[in-house]
Amino acid sequence: MTFKKILCLVFALALMVSVMSACGGNDSKKPATNSADGSSEQGSVSYITPSVDPDSIYADPNWSPYANMPASSKGATVRFAHWSATLGSGENGDISKQLYNDIGINVEMYLVKNDGYVNEVMTKMASGDIPDVFVTNEYNCAFPITLQIAAPVNKVSSVDLNDPIWDQTLLKGATIDGNVYYLNTIGYPGANGNMVFFNKRLFEENSIKSPTDYYAEGTWSWDNFLKCAKEIKMLGSDYRGAYVNMEILAGSVGTSITKYDFNTHQFKSGLDDPDLLKAYQWFADARAQGLLDATLTHFTSGKAGLYLLGPHGLQKDGKWKEMDPNDIGFTYLPSFEEGKIGRLSSIYGALGIIDGAPNADAAGYFIRYYMDPKNWDLNNAFITVEAGNFFYEITKTPAGDKYFNFDDPLSYLMGLTDADVAFYNKLRNIPSEGMNTALQSLANVVDEACIKANDIINNKIVQNRQ
């Protein structure tokens, strides 16, 4: 399974966070205190709550987003197109019963395969079998592919876009020609942000300055990331420095091979971006020094120092589930400039309502309930309370300040498995001095991918103007 396919499973795992483990935080202890490296005193995971205008209707303690639910939605069954058979996150495991008891809506998992997600949904829709809710995150279930099945949520009466729980910066980015297609809330536990994981035990036992030490003094840079990797590798022939994902590396400087302009709603090539060349030349130089040859097994067995990954590493049943959680350190992506941290790169994770959904209004209420973090059992979601609080540190970054990479879905539009096959595998062994030439050799396939993606967007605009 490729790294991209693993990332595409993150949302499925987020669906089942409450069944990841029977052990959770202890609410009887004092609340956790957040810090930049995720450290905190033992307590409860504190999620982000939206700010509310005190003069608005939302400040009324009696206000409820479900108060005026019409009879047509009460008792309705919302069908959620997903590859998981259960809808987790509730205090007792599956949230379905909790959802029905609280707002009177049923949910049914409309099973489709993870691979070819949108194509399978579209095939079923063509036969008249239309679900209500879709997920968009990574790989071939990502924007812009999912736009083909998306309905404008601003036309669904149950979706109040002024509700302060919505991440307004994502709504802005999800607006195309005046219509909003994707929803995400402030504090939604399925949000995403890439980070650096490191083996605290290795650093502490060998008196090596750690990423959080560099971060604390304001010198956390990609150069010092390499310094950490080199010191770990020098521990012995069976040790490795780091694993660096090329997509995450480029995202830390706000770039990628294909780029989406949220203002013009069009894709274009990123191959001429000097920051992309700088990032990939750094990768080539570090690889040539033998510092980026760590694998997942190296890290989980305590033989590698650093690993780039998304929030899956913070989850109890995530990448490091076989490791002692006290050995797992985490911090922000570094920058090429000391004194700054890297751009928070992410997948475009959200939910939407399917075009022609038979229960669109009920779907709006379902999404509002499901994406509200107060309905999740957060203390059972993460490897430690510290990890949970760090997750909410990184998700304080609004969607408008994140960098979203769409190389995977555009690769899929070209009939290729993922961005590894389309792009990254062709760059991994290129020396620094040949990197620009190698990037430019991808121009034709990148341009064609952008054209296909733009066709989806433009066709959607035409469709909704009719």
Side-chain angles (χ1 to χ4, degrees):
M1 183 177 291
T2 67
F3 182 80
K4 303 302 179 305
K5 291 181 180 178
I6 291 171
L7 273 180
C8 204
L9 294 175
V10 169
F11 188 91
L13 288 164
L15 282 169
M16 299 178 282
V17 290
S18 68
V19 295
M20 288 176 177
S21 172
C23 300
N26 187 342
D27 289 339
S28 66
K29 298 183 180 179
K30 60 183 179 180
T33 302
N34 300 345
S35 71
D37 64 354
S39 62
S40 71
E41 296 181 34
Q42 194 65 32
S44 299
V45 175
S46 300
Y47 60 85
I48 299 170
T49 56
S51 59
V52 179
D53 183 343
D55 297 323
S56 70
I57 60 170
Y58 309 105
D60 185 339
N62 295 316
W63 176 81
S64 168
Y66 317 106
N68 298 314
M69 185 184 296
S72 58
S73 292
K74 292 179 179 178
T77 296
V78 172
R79 296 201 297 166
F80 184 11
H82 206 275
W83 47 91
S84 172
T86 59
L87 185 70
S89 86
E91 292 183 1
N92 298 309
D94 195 309
I95 200 175
S96 300
K97 183 177 180 181
Q98 177 181 317
L99 175 72
Y100 182 78
N101 289 339
D102 285 353
I103 65 173
I105 288 177
N106 296 295
V107 61
E108 174 187 312
M109 301 309 288
Y110 178 98
L111 292 176
V112 291
K113 289 179 290 189
N114 179 249
D115 287 342
Y117 175 87
V118 171
N119 286 347
E120 185 174 350
V121 172
M122 290 177 68
T123 298
K124 292 186 176 184
M125 289 173 65
S127 68
D129 184 15
I130 305 176
D132 300 296
V133 176
F134 70 90
V135 56
T136 188
N137 54 18
E138 180 63 299
Y139 193 51
N140 54 48
C141 49
F143 176 82
I145 300 173
T146 49
L147 189 63
Q148 297 172 99
I149 60 174
V153 296
N154 51 291
K155 296 181 180 180
V156 177
S157 63
S158 59
V159 178
D160 176 7
L161 295 179
N162 294 314
D163 185 339
I165 198 170
W166 303 118
D167 183 339
Q168 294 296 325
T169 62
L170 183 131
L171 296 186
K172 181 179 179 181
T175 301
I176 299 174
D177 195 42
N179 289 310
V180 182
Y181 291 95
Y182 301 95
L183 292 167
N184 205 336
T185 57
I186 302 293
Y188 169 53
N192 187 275
N194 295 309
M195 66 196 78
V196 174
F197 288 89
F198 63 98
N199 189 308
K200 293 195 319 189
R201 183 186 297 271
L202 272 182
F203 282 86
E204 290 171 0
E205 291 184 348
N206 295 283
S207 300
I208 297 173
K209 190 173 181 178
S210 76
T212 50
D213 294 331
Y214 285 108
Y215 179 87
E217 68 179 26
T219 58
W220 184 223
S221 64
W222 282 112
D223 284 343
N224 283 328
F225 178 98
L226 280 189
K227 184 178 179 181
C228 289
K230 185 178 294 185
E231 291 182 80
I232 294 295
K233 188 177 178 65
M234 290 173 62
L235 294 176
S237 59
D238 56 342
Y239 286 87
R240 301 291 186 273
Y243 168 80
V244 171
N245 175 275
M246 297 183 76
E247 173 186 325
I248 296 176
L249 169 65
S252 76
V253 292
T255 191
S256 51
I257 287 174
T258 63
K259 304 182 79 170
Y260 181 64
D261 188 325
F262 286 90
N263 294 312
T264 65
H265 316 303
Q266 295 290 285
F267 282 92
K268 63 180 181 179
S269 170
L271 296 176
D272 292 327
D273 188 334
D275 286 332
L276 183 71
L277 178 61
K278 179 179 181 178
Y280 285 171
Q281 285 181 328
W282 177 94
F283 179 90
D285 289 337
R287 184 195 57 78
Q289 296 176 58
L291 299 177
L292 304 183
D293 57 350
T295 65
L296 176 65
T297 302
H298 289 131
F299 192 85
T300 55
S301 64
K303 296 296 184 180
L306 308 108
Y307 203 103
L308 300 193
L309 190 66
H312 190 196
L314 298 174
Q315 296 171 348
K316 275 191 177 174
D317 200 28
K319 299 284 277 191
W320 324 128
K321 62 183 178 181
E322 304 300 328
M323 297 179 67
D324 183 339
N326 295 314
D327 290 347
I328 306 302
F330 33 83
T331 194
Y332 295 97
L333 294 173
S335 167
F336 281 107
E337 182 179 349
E338 288 192 3
K340 294 183 178 180
I341 59 172
R343 183 87 174 263
L344 184 63
S345 64
S346 180
I347 60 173
Y348 196 64
L351 296 184
I353 297 174
I354 291 178
D355 200 9
N359 293 298
D361 285 338
Y365 290 117
F366 161 76
I367 292 174
R368 172 59 171 78
Y369 184 94
Y370 179 71
M371 300 189 88
D372 187 340
K374 75 179 183 181
N375 297 321
W376 288 60
D377 185 14
L378 296 177
N379 287 333
N380 280 327
F382 301 99
I383 54 175
T384 60
V385 169
E386 291 85 354
N389 284 318
F390 183 68
F391 172 85
Y392 276 109
E393 283 290 334
I394 65 172
T395 55
K396 285 179 181 177
T397 302
D401 292 336
K402 294 179 181 178
Y403 186 79
F404 296 106
N405 183 301
F406 300 100
D407 287 351
D408 269 332
L410 266 64
S411 300
Y412 184 77
L413 291 177
M414 293 296 296
L416 300 170
T417 309
D418 56 23
D420 283 334
V421 173
F423 310 126
Y424 308 143
N425 288 345
K426 299 173 184 177
L427 303 173
R428 283 200 174 93
N429 296 316
I430 300 297
S432 177
E433 61 272 16
M435 188 60 71
N436 188 50
T437 299
L439 283 170
Q440 299 309 314
S441 72
L442 301 173
N444 289 339
V445 67
V446 169
D447 289 343
E448 186 176 350
C450 291
I451 289 171
K452 289 180 180 292
N454 291 336
D455 283 345
I456 290 175
I457 296 169
N458 296 334
N459 288 339
K460 197 68 174 184
I461 291 173
V462 171
Q463 173 188 328
N464 283 312
R465 284 183 178 181
Q466 293 175 343

